[in-house]
Amino acid sequence: MEPDAVTRTTLADVAARAGVSPSTASLAFSGSGPVSDATKERVLAAASELGYAGPDPRARSLRRGRSGIVGVVLEERVRAAFLDPVKIQMLDGITEGIAPLGAGLLLLTDTGEPGEHAVSIESAPVDAVVLIGCSPRLGVSIEALRRRGIPAVAIEGATGEDIPEISIDNRQATRRGAEYLRELGHADVAIVTLPLDAGRTRGPLTEALLQAGTNTTALERLAGAREVFPAATGRVAGASSIEQGLEAARALLTDAAGRPTAIIAQSDLLAAGVIQAAEELGLHVPGDLSVLGFDGIRVDGLQHDLTTLAQPSVAKGRAAGEAVVQLLSGEPPESRCFTSTLHVGDTTASPGVVRLRR
């Protein structure tokens, strides 16, 4: 199709191709009315065939110009996100970063569940979007935003050259933590990973799951650990939560094949669940089991000073917000990569060495 033909395509053309009324096509794009999933899919397919990107989201504003809203996409339900201090710190940073715009934040979720919200990433009236979190659905979100022509910034994840990324040294940081465990004398190490695929499959860390993995953050952290412990196996969690860490660690610590002397958890919340599982089984941390986390947050109820890779979550969010400001002013922002630091607490020790809790 010629470029000038694409620009002349209207919503009425899409409606005719899909065999629906223009009003139904409009509702399919806005997500604000009773349109079946099948009809919505038919309208979006017709739009894709005709090269129609959808109605300008800013047209919903009472005046021409911007909506004054920056969207933030979370890969889990909002309630779950607010239980994660890392997400809260990044939201604080984003708010600071977009302050010059005088814009508000609109939280959107993209869990992959059909019909989860009337206002979604495909219909929200936003000027720009920040994709936040270690999401295995990042590619799906980016595709929707590109289709709508909405500028975006991603906090972690492989985005392509046209979308700036605010990241941390996931692979190098995890390697540093793994090297520390090796220096302590650990050789039998297991890993509890963040979700790897869009379906959030839980269970043993298998080659099939790795091949299907789309969560760049989890894959990079796993690669860093395996640079030091090539044969390390483990479990894949369905979310970054204490409950998921508890479930994974129970399986690892009761495995008939043998108990690891150390577990690398890909988040501090997962690490807290690992510690809880160990204590339930009568194991001493770090005497019987060393635990390494990732994030550098305070976990409510955790009595240990967790050994972890501390990341600058607020600074990451602020950098993403600043990138949004640059995008909306016509300046091309550059991607940035922050560095994590190893914090040595009281959850790691040489195998068999018992420390007194502080």
Side-chain angles (χ1 to χ4, degrees):
M1 185 177 292
E2 297 296 326
D4 58 342
V6 172
T7 59
R8 290 196 298 269
T9 301
T10 67
L11 185 62
D13 297 326
V14 173
R17 172 67 68 91
V20 300
S21 68
S23 61
T24 298
S26 177
L27 290 174
F29 270 102
S30 70
S32 59
V35 178
S36 70
D37 290 341
T39 299
K40 180 179 179 181
E41 289 177 6
R42 194 163 71 249
V43 170
L44 294 180
S48 178
E49 292 170 6
L50 296 174
Y52 180 68
D56 184 346
R58 292 174 297 182
R60 295 188 180 94
S61 179
L62 294 178
R63 60 181 176 81
R64 289 187 178 274
R66 294 174 180 161
S67 66
I69 299 172
V70 173
V72 177
V73 178
L74 305 164
E75 85 282 9
E76 71 256 283
R77 294 186 180 278
V78 173
R79 179 180 180 277
F82 281 136
L83 293 175
D84 187 345
V86 173
K87 299 292 195 308
I88 295 173
Q89 289 175 8
M90 283 194 279
L91 286 171
D92 286 342
I94 293 170
T95 302
E96 293 176 12
I98 66 170
L101 298 175
L105 288 183
L106 174 63
L107 301 185
L108 305 165
T109 60
D110 185 22
T111 65
E113 298 177 11
E116 58 186 353
H117 289 289
V119 178
S120 70
I121 193 172
E122 295 182 346
S123 62
V126 293
D127 298 321
V129 164
V130 177
L131 299 158
I132 187 173
C134 313
S135 174
R137 287 182 52 81
L138 181 65
V140 177
S141 299
I142 289 174
E143 182 182 349
L145 293 172
R146 283 181 176 144
R147 185 168 60 244
R148 298 185 63 202
I150 302 293
V153 177
I155 299 181
E156 298 196 51
T159 60
E161 295 181 357
D162 59 329
I163 297 180
E165 178 189 350
I166 310 302
S167 61
I168 53 174
D169 57 339
N170 285 300
R171 184 169 186 154
Q172 297 86 345
T174 306
R175 185 182 65 237
R176 286 195 298 273
E179 287 172 344
Y180 172 68
L181 291 176
R182 183 174 61 185
E183 290 168 2
L184 289 175
H186 292 279
D188 189 0
V189 175
I191 304 167
V192 176
T193 79
L194 294 165
L196 291 177
D197 64 352
R200 298 177 173 275
T201 305
R202 305 197 304 265
L205 178 58
T206 63
E207 187 61 30
L209 270 179
L210 286 178
Q211 292 299 321
T214 56
N215 185 344
T216 304
T217 299
L219 293 172
E220 287 182 350
R221 292 180 187 180
L222 177 60
R226 283 186 165 174
E227 286 180 9
V228 181
F229 300 107
T233 59
R235 305 281 297 187
V236 180
S240 176
S241 69
I242 295 175
E243 293 76 17
Q244 287 291 308
L246 178 64
E247 176 184 302
R250 282 172 175 160
L252 289 171
L253 297 176
T254 57
D255 190 343
R259 190 181 72 227
T261 63
I263 291 179
I264 298 173
Q266 290 191 344
S267 78
D268 286 351
L269 291 177
L270 290 172
V274 170
I275 292 171
Q276 184 176 330
E279 292 177 343
E280 283 183 358
L281 294 169
L283 301 176
H284 183 274
V285 175
D288 298 313
L289 179 73
S290 285
V291 180
L292 172 69
F294 199 119
D295 284 331
I297 61 173
R298 179 181 179 84
V299 180
D300 288 342
L302 183 63
Q303 301 302 312
H304 288 272
D305 176 16
L306 181 64
T307 297
T308 185
L309 286 313
Q311 62 163 309
S313 298
V314 174
K316 283 170 57 184
R318 187 184 304 113
E322 291 169 350
V324 166
V325 174
Q326 289 179 292
L327 280 172
L328 295 179
S329 65
E331 302 175 21
E334 294 184 357
S335 295
R336 295 183 61 184
C337 183
F338 289 86
T339 301
S340 303
T341 57
L342 176 63
H343 168 78
V344 178
D346 64 10
T347 62
T348 48
S350 298
V353 175
V354 178
R355 289 182 181 174
L356 295 176
R357 291 186 184 178
R358 285 188 265 184

